[in-house]
């Protein structure tokens, strides 16, 4: 997968590696497109990174390895810096701070909750300025949370995400074992452990690139799609949707009201109808009252004059009105897109 690894030691005995990533990472234009709505500056120079520490506490443990992936000369390059003892941590932090100066944003997995706060704390402990003060970040864990139900993910940790993508085996140990191996390496008892620990970090970085491609599923939540076709199939309405990005893995899911399946850039959505009618859901349900006798919701501005016994505050699952599926609707992609804009977020939110 990689060209030959180049490994050097600097005067502080820091192990430094750099190698090109020849496959497994999305191309640069895809990364740029999938982050276009994140408010980054026009100068888009992203850095993927992942850290290894001797524990979770920012005050009683230390940072010993940083891995990063940057786009240079039309290719993704992987960098790794690993120190041989705790005393070298300030130099590792300084090295990474200098390296970050060239980038406009960072991309990590759970980085906003762990990686960056941990690094900020270590910079502060050593009396160093944090390089993250004005550096935007994209935390894939937070971004991808809405996909848990849609993709039937049991957990949202990185191994679970990789498993969904078909990455089921790793060659190196997990993070907990890495801590033990690193301590054996640092004590001089097991010099060969350095390659194992760096191999684990390398696999985390490669997984980060593959997980990044899952942002394409969010097109269904962000209206980043087109309605291509709509037709009646028995008691269901079948929508054909084209997403603006290819989906990395085929998926399917269902609830009482819908069945959804997607592959490549095509998604099929089957929605149950009732007597030729569909429910039109509204996301601002707090502004509506539900009228049980009519099985419909109306704005509170209109229901205020009704007897309280006839109405109750609408909830997410009953904030809807009914509309007839007409020939005009079946032949108008714009009307279909408007329907999906209102209803698809609700349908996706109740999937498990």
């Amino acid at each position: 997968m990689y060209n030959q690894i180049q490994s050097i030691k600097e005067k502080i005995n820091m192990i430094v590696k750099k190698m090109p990533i020849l496959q497994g990472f999305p191309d640069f234009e895809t990364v740029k497109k999938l982050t276009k709505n994140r408010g980054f500056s026009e100068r888009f120079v992203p850095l993927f990174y992942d850290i290894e520490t001797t524990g979770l506490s920012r005050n009683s443990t230390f940072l010993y390895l940083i891995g990063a992936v940057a786009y240079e000369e039309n290719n993704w390059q992987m960098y790794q810096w690993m120190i041989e003892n705790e005393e070298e941590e300030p130099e590792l932090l300084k090295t990474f701070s200098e390296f970050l100066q060239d980038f406009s944003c960072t991309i990590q997995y759970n980085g906003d909750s762990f990686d960056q706060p941990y690094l900020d704390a270590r910079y502060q402990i050593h009396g160093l300025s944090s390089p993250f003060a004005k550096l935007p970040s994209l935390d894939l864990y937070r971004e991808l949370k809405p996909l848990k139900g849609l993709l039937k993910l049991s957990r949202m940790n990185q191994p679970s995400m990789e498993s969904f993508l078909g990455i089921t085996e790793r060659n190196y140990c997990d993070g907990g074992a890495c801590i033990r191996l690193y301590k054996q390496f640092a004590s001089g008892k097991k010099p060969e452990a350095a390659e194992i620990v760096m191999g684990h970090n390398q696999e985390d970085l490669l997984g980060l690139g593959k997980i990044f491609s899952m942002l394409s599923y969010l097109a269904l939540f962000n209206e980043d799609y087109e309605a291509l076709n709509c037709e009646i199939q028995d008691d269901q309405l079948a929508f054909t949707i084209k997403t603006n990005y290819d989906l990395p893995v085929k998926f399917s899911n269902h609830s009482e009201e819908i069945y959804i399946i997607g592959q490549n850039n095509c998604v099929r959505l089957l929605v149950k109808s009732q007597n030729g009618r569909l429910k039109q859901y509204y996301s601002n349900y707090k502004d509506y009252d539900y009228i049980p006798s009519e099985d419909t919701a109306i704005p509170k501005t209109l229901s205020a004059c009704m007897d309280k016994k006839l109405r109750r505050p609408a909830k997410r699952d009953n904030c809807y009105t009914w509309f007839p599926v007409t020939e005009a609707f079946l032949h108008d992609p714009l009307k279909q897109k408007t329907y999906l804009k209102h209803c698809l977020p609700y349908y996706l939110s109740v999937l498990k």
Side-chain angles (χ1 to χ4, degrees), residues 155-168:
R155 300 178 63 190
M156 289 296 296
N157 58 11
Q158 184 164 336
S160 296
M161 308 299 270
E162 292 180 6
S163 178
F164 170 79
L165 293 171
I167 308 169
T168 56

Side-chain angles (χ1 to χ4, degrees), residues 47-82:
L47 180 75
F48 293 80
Y49 81 88
D50 181 62
I51 66 174
E52 306 296 337
T53 70
T54 58
L56 299 178
S57 171
R58 305 166 194 171
N59 297 316
S60 59
T61 65
F62 68 93
L63 170 78
Y64 68 85
L65 171 60
I66 300 176
V69 175
Y71 194 74
E72 300 174 350
E73 300 178 354
N74 299 317
N75 195 29
W76 292 107
Q77 300 281 344
M78 186 186 76
Y79 290 83
Q80 288 179 300
W81 302 269
M82 189 172 84

Side-chain angles (χ1 to χ4, degrees), residues 8-9 28 38 40-41 44 90 111 127 140 160 179 181 186 201 233 237 245 280 287 302-303 321 331 342 350 352:
I8 62 174
K9 288 193 177 184
F28 182 79
R38 268 62 183 189
F40 294 145
S41 64
F44 182 64
L140 291 177
S160 296
I179 296 174
L181 285 169
N201 180 255
Q233 293 183 358
L237 213 60
Y245 316 103
Q280 171 78 64
D287 296 329
L302 298 178
S303 63
T321 56
H331 293 92
H342 285 287
V350 298
K352 297 179 180 178

